[in-house]
Amino acid sequence: MVGLTDAAFEDFIPEDSLFDLLWQGLEKIEAGVDPTVVANIFEIQILPKFGVTPNFKSCAICGNTQGNFDYSMQYAGVLCEQHFHMDERRLHWSRRASYFIRMFSQIPYAKLGTVSLGQQTKSELRHALDMLYEEYVGIHLKSHHFISQMESFINPLDDKQEKTYDNS
């Protein structure tokens, strides 16, 4: 989150709203909210600071807000199932990833309660957000690589077999 804040921050230009969002996110992590969820919300809500304003609220074609959605780079927003055929290159997000990205794009940290995501959903969200950042922002933070490695690391105190950790 701090790395993204640094990347989005323009030198010598005050960005109170950016730092407020960062601070609120860090407070949520300190309060015990899943850091992955907090970071995902931050990554989605900071996109406008990079000049990217994807439409996650409603179908980019008809405005529908109910049902299943997928993301279209062509339309810079989500498409409802009735319009999936309009972009053969849509991103094919899972239903859960699409649902949570849409929710995370709109929820303020102050209203964030307990969100419990399984590892599969977290991986799907990570993949979806990486696709957006690669296409629109074009930055690859070292912290993303580190976080990905940490997610695959198994606590050696668990009864599970420990995975190796590459610190490159």
Side-chain angles (χ1 to χ4, degrees):
M1 290 172 34
V2 175
L4 274 178
T5 302
D6 183 48
F9 184 72
E10 293 185 46
D11 291 339
F12 308 111
I13 297 176
E15 289 284 351
D16 291 344
S17 63
L18 182 59
F19 287 110
D20 286 345
L21 187 63
L22 174 62
W23 186 257
Q24 290 170 24
L26 294 173
E27 285 179 328
K28 284 294 183 181
I29 292 171
E30 181 69 24
V33 176
D34 185 337
T36 303
V37 170
V38 173
N40 289 161
I41 292 170
F42 186 82
E43 288 175 274
I44 294 166
Q45 293 186 7
I46 197 176
L47 281 168
K49 295 294 182 184
F50 293 104
V52 178
T53 55
N55 172 16
F56 295 120
K57 288 184 180 184
S58 61
C59 176
I61 306 298
C62 69
N64 183 14
T65 60
Q66 302 296 315
N68 297 314
F69 294 86
D70 193 8
Y71 193 80
S72 167
M73 295 285 189
Q74 178 181 347
Y75 292 97
V78 292
L79 300 178
C80 66
E81 276 184 306
Q82 291 79 13
H83 295 106
F84 282 178
H85 69 280
M86 296 193 66
D87 186 356
E88 293 177 11
R89 297 182 62 217
R90 62 188 170 83
L91 299 185
H92 299 278
W93 287 351
S94 72
R95 289 181 181 186
R96 290 191 59 81
S98 178
Y99 171 81
F100 282 109
I101 287 175
R102 292 182 69 232
M103 180 177 61
F104 291 170
S105 73
Q106 299 175 53
I107 190 166
Y109 281 129
K111 292 188 178 185
L112 181 63
T114 303
V115 179
S116 181
L117 301 179
Q119 191 56 45
Q120 178 69 28
T121 302
K122 287 180 181 182
S123 294
E124 291 169 357
L125 283 168
R126 176 78 274 132
H127 180 69
L129 290 171
D130 286 347
M131 292 168 73
L132 288 175
Y133 268 83
E134 286 175 26
E135 178 69 22
Y136 290 132
V137 181
I139 61 172
H140 304 282
L141 300 173
K142 290 181 181 181
S143 58
H144 279 176
H145 178 67
F146 176 75
I147 291 168
S148 294
Q149 287 180 331
M150 290 302 294
E151 288 174 352
S152 66
F153 181 73
I154 296 177
N155 186 340
L157 299 177
D158 288 344
D159 292 330
K160 302 172 187 171
Q161 182 178 0
E162 182 178 344
K163 292 185 180 180
T164 59
Y165 178 73
D166 174 23
N167 194 21
S168 57

